[in-house]
């Protein structure tokens, strides 16, 4: 299963608040025993000078009107502030103004599911980047998401 084209999303300026990006994938599992390998690539841009800030990702799963966050589909441990993907601090960078990255991720969802339509959405949260983090097709990046279903 693969995704189509997407736009960019400005990430909520409230620290440690998850924001849905425009990158998602919807499909119908073939079996309740399947596991899913979820991969994504997405552009990110920090457009301000940051000192002691960063961001992280997780995947939101929606099926049968139930929202969950599979524990293996995140780069964040769930402890303290969210800057698990990228962290900027004066000791490791001199300036973060106009920083562009292409972030990639891969994880396995082995949580229970049904055979009705399932949607995964990339979410992002930031710390101390205010309104200056954009995720998606920034810097000419092509956001993409792929799910590989593994039958048992």
């Amino acid at each position: 299963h693969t995704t189509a084209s997407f736009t960019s999303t400005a990430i909520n300026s409230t620290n440690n608040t998850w924001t849905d990006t425009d990158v998602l994938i919807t499909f119908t599992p073939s079996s309740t025993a399947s596991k899913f390998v979820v991969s994504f690539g997405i552009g990110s841009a920090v457009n301000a000078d940051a000192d002691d800030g960063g961001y992280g990702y997780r995947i939101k799963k929606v099926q049968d009107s139930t929202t969950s966050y599979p524990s293996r589909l995140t780069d964040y441990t769930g402890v303290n502030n969210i800057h698990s993907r990228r962290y900027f601090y004066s000791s490791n960078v001199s300036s973060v103004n106009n920083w562009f990255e292409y972030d990639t991720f891969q994880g396995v969802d082995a949580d229970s599911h049904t055979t009705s339509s399932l949607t995964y959405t990339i979410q992002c949260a930031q710390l101390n980047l205010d309104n200056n983090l954009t995720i998606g097709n920034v810097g000419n990046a092509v956001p993409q998401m792929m799910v590989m279903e593994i039958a048992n």
Side-chain angles (χ1 to χ4, degrees):
H1 311 284
T2 57
T3 55
S5 60
F6 302 98
T7 60
S8 295
T9 304
I11 302 305
N12 190 308
S13 63
T14 304
N15 285 341
N16 302 315
T17 300
W18 293 103
T19 301
D20 284 358
T21 69
D22 189 39
V23 182
L24 57 87
I25 188 168
T26 300
F27 64 97
T28 302
S30 62
S31 166
T32 59
S34 299
K35 294 179 174 68
F36 307 105
V37 177
V38 181
S39 306
F40 72 78
I42 194 167
S44 61
V46 176
N47 296 314
D49 201 16
D51 182 26
D52 190 24
Y55 62 95
Y57 294 106
R58 73 177 179 186
I59 302 290
K60 179 175 77 173
K61 176 181 177 179
V62 178
Q63 187 177 44
D64 298 325
S65 300
T66 300
T67 300
S68 63
Y69 305 93
S71 63
R72 297 293 179 202
L73 296 183
T74 185
D75 58 18
Y76 174 58
T77 63
V79 179
N80 297 323
N81 292 316
I82 300 171
H83 48 61
S84 49
R85 170 58 54 160
R86 194 83 54 235
Y87 179 61
F88 308 105
Y89 187 67
S90 59
S91 65
N92 65 6
V93 293
S94 59
S95 176
V96 185
N97 204 357
N98 297 318
W99 180 284
F100 294 93
E101 283 287 330
Y102 190 77
D103 297 320
T104 59
F105 176 85
Q106 185 173 41
V108 175
D109 179 7
D111 293 359
S112 64
H113 59 274
T114 67
T115 54
S116 52
S117 180
L118 185 154
T119 299
Y120 289 120
T121 304
I122 300 172
Q123 290 189 316
C124 184
Q126 62 82 35
L127 172 70
N128 295 334
L129 297 179
D130 302 319
N131 289 318
N132 298 303
L133 175 62
T134 305
I135 302 297
N137 62 354
V138 295
N140 297 319
V142 177
Q144 52 192 328
M145 189 173 197
M146 181 185 77
V147 175
M148 181 171 49
E149 185 171 358
I150 302 171
N152 275 348

